[in-house]
Amino acid sequence: MKRMPVSKLILIFIISLLSTTALAQDITAAFSPSKDSQKLILSEMSSAKKTIEVAAYIFTSAPVSKALLAAHKRGVRVRVVADKKGNNNKLSRSALNALVLGGIEVRLNSAYAIHHDKFMIIDSKTVQTGSLNYTSSAMSRNSENVLVIRNQPKLAQQYYQHWLSRFKEAEPYSVNFSQAE
């Protein structure tokens, strides 16, 4: 049996170390109620260059709305699908109205007991997921988690297919000015 040269073993070790380090940098977790979860989500949205697809249960977060609108103004295609029943209140309507009036396509899904998805797909390669709803309570008062997985196009494609199925079966949200606040 041939012995592998030490230089080759060192090279293999360095490559495995680098790939482990790269993987660690491509996955980030944050937890609320600290500000870390909101900062992580906003940072990922600000890095978007082409697309952001959002799947939400309840959507009321003003900072997330502003970041989505800013991305849209930069030329990023932003689309949102959220639960219909969970977003039937003044705060949700206000957030969704702002998105629609800003030119973002929003749809509400009522095909399930609840549309409980909470994730974003950014530029077809990054997935942000976890228990965190896009609400101020989730970010400032609840115990929640956020996980961002970068540079994983195959995973992002799986999430996109799920997102697209929910988006297609949802109905377009339109501003009702008699309910707009």
Side-chain angles (χ1 to χ4, degrees):
M1 179 159 102
K2 270 186 162 178
R3 294 184 73 190
M4 191 176 290
V6 173
S7 60
K8 204 171 204 177
L9 286 171
I10 291 172
L11 182 59
I12 290 170
F13 174 75
I14 290 171
I15 290 170
S16 68
L17 184 63
L18 288 174
S19 63
T20 303
T21 302
L23 182 60
Q25 292 172 348
D26 284 348
I27 299 174
T28 307
F31 305 90
S32 63
S34 78
K35 296 272 186 201
D36 294 343
S37 58
Q38 179 173 293
K39 284 192 328 193
L40 178 58
I41 291 170
L42 296 177
S43 173
E44 292 304 317
M45 288 189 294
S46 71
S47 73
K49 301 207 180 342
K50 296 178 182 175
T51 59
I52 301 175
E53 286 92 12
V54 180
Y57 172 50
I58 299 174
F59 193 95
T60 63
S61 172
V64 172
S65 294
K66 288 177 186 172
L68 291 172
L69 288 164
H72 177 71
K73 287 179 184 172
R74 291 194 314 270
V76 174
R77 182 178 187 194
V78 178
R79 296 181 292 168
V80 176
V81 62
D83 183 72
K84 185 173 184 173
K85 295 174 286 300
N87 288 287
N88 193 20
N89 60 62
K90 182 178 172 182
L91 198 53
S92 292
R93 283 192 307 271
S94 179
L96 297 175
N97 288 347
L99 295 179
V100 170
L101 292 172
I104 293 173
E105 187 175 2
V106 175
R107 294 187 183 185
L108 298 181
N109 190 309
S110 61
Y112 306 93
I114 56 175
H115 177 265
H116 209 240
D117 287 317
K118 302 158 198 157
F119 64 86
M120 290 185 195
I121 307 142
I122 300 169
D123 292 338
S124 302
K125 64 182 179 181
T126 296
V127 174
Q128 176 271 302
T129 190
S131 67
L132 187 108
N133 285 305
Y134 303 111
T135 67
S136 58
S137 293
M139 294 187 198
S140 64
R141 296 192 305 232
N142 298 350
S143 177
E144 305 273 359
N145 66 81
V146 175
L147 185 65
V148 174
I149 306 159
R150 296 174 199 86
N151 300 314
Q152 294 295 319
K154 287 182 181 178
L155 178 67
Q157 181 62 25
Q158 286 181 285
Y159 269 84
Y160 178 75
Q161 289 305 317
H162 178 75
W163 177 88
L164 186 60
S165 71
R166 299 319 185 247
F167 189 76
K168 284 181 175 180
E169 67 193 11
E171 58 192 60
Y173 176 83
S174 58
V175 176
N176 181 339
F177 287 101
S178 66
Q179 295 179 337
E181 300 296 324

